[in-house]
Amino acid sequence: MLTVAVTGATGAQGGATARALLSAGHHVRALTRYPDSLAAEVLRGLGAEVLRADFDDHTSLRAALAGTDSLFAVTTPFGTDTTAETRQGKALVDAAAAARLGHIVLTSAAHADRGTAVPHYESKYLVEQYLCAADVPWTVIAPAAFMDNYTSDWTLDGLRDNTFAWPMPADRPLTLIPATDIGAFAALALQRRDEFTGRRIDIASDECTPRWIAETLAMVTDRPIAHQEVPLAQVRTRSADLAAMFEYFTTVGLDVDVAGLRRDYPEVGWHSFADWAAGQEWPALLTPAPANQ
């Protein structure tokens, strides 16, 4: 049995990894800035040990990593910025190396090592490079675009109006993955340390066009949803970072060997987009929240 520290444990990737490890019988130390949150309480109920840890608080990091075998590391610029992401990622690597952990699995982004000029890909790649130079066994998993993003924010707002608003042409393919599959692959890498140490692997579960995504969502929601291409200029007014990402998706593409991954790692239980979409609670998601009285 492993004792694995999982950062971002109350988020999508960390939470999925924690649940996959718990299901496999391992001890999970769930690290979060919000140990009293509902998501943290759910993890406790599943058997995880929940500890407060903050990447900018080195004392909390050292305490959280003490006595663990391995680490699942996730960083994010959202809510801070890309400079903070890189700084915090390096601090996490330093703490893991000081604790002499046997293995770090870092989740990055597919193609982050290819000079994309996408700000939050570049910040992740700086953390990757720092990890690879550290004196600790490492693996980098690099997920494609998240299916889970289709159940939140402006995408969900569009679906409520029967529109799949997406900043890509209708027939441009994009590789996708749900958080569940990221967690399953991360758990696999942590459990098979010898096989995965020293490797960087782009991961995805399916490849779809925006037109196909819209048609699938129309089928599972029983709504007449159609794809609408959002101009990149409109995205840029909200986030230059996201606009750069969608421009990369459209001009270069986010290719990942989906067939090879399914062949080589069937135990992950890869979900197609149709499988994932069919498993969502669309009636609840598509019902607008009541206005404040």
Side-chain angles (χ1 to χ4, degrees), residues 114-198:
R114 302 191 191 187
T116 64
V118 177
H120 73 277
Y121 283 29
E122 299 296 310
S123 57
K124 292 181 189 302
Y125 188 53
L126 289 173
V127 178
E128 287 188 40
Q129 291 176 301
Y130 195 78
L131 172 62
C132 294
D135 185 22
V136 60
W138 59 268
T139 302
V140 174
I141 64 171
F146 296 170
M147 295 181 190
D148 308 77
N149 287 343
Y150 298 149
T151 61
S152 63
D153 299 331
W154 50 273
T155 306
L156 186 58
D157 290 340
L159 294 179
R160 289 176 177 144
D161 291 328
N162 297 331
T163 299
F164 176 56
W166 200 243
M168 291 178 64
D171 294 319
R172 187 69 167 103
L174 178 66
T175 48
L176 301 164
I177 189 167
T180 298
D181 291 1
I182 300 171
F185 196 90
L188 183 70
L190 287 159
Q191 292 172 100
R192 286 159 47 176
R193 178 183 306 178
D194 292 345
E195 177 182 346
F196 285 93
T197 293

Side-chain angles (χ1 to χ4, degrees), residues 12-129:
Q13 296 189 68
T17 301
R19 289 189 292 273
L21 288 166
L22 289 166
S23 295
H26 299 289
H27 180 71
V28 169
R29 185 174 293 175
L31 309 187
T32 176
R33 289 180 298 164
Y34 308 107
D36 298 323
S37 66
L38 177 59
E41 194 58 39
V42 170
L43 288 174
R44 284 192 189 92
L46 294 173
E49 174 190 9
V50 179
L51 290 182
R52 181 191 173 277
D54 188 320
F55 292 168
D56 288 322
D57 179 351
H58 296 177
T59 300
S60 74
L61 278 182
R62 286 195 297 271
L65 296 179
T68 60
D69 304 310
S70 308
L71 168 68
F72 173 77
V74 58
T75 62
T76 179
F78 303 112
T80 55
D81 54 46
T82 54
T83 301
E85 176 178 30
T86 300
R87 183 189 72 248
Q88 292 173 349
K90 290 180 176 180
L92 181 58
V93 170
D94 287 342
R100 304 187 68 81
L101 296 192
H103 192 200
I104 298 177
V105 172
L106 171 71
T107 180
S108 179
H111 289 212
D113 59 339
R114 302 191 191 187
T116 64
V118 177
H120 73 277
Y121 283 29
E122 299 296 310
S123 57
K124 292 181 189 302
Y125 188 53
L126 289 173
V127 178
E128 287 188 40
Q129 291 176 301

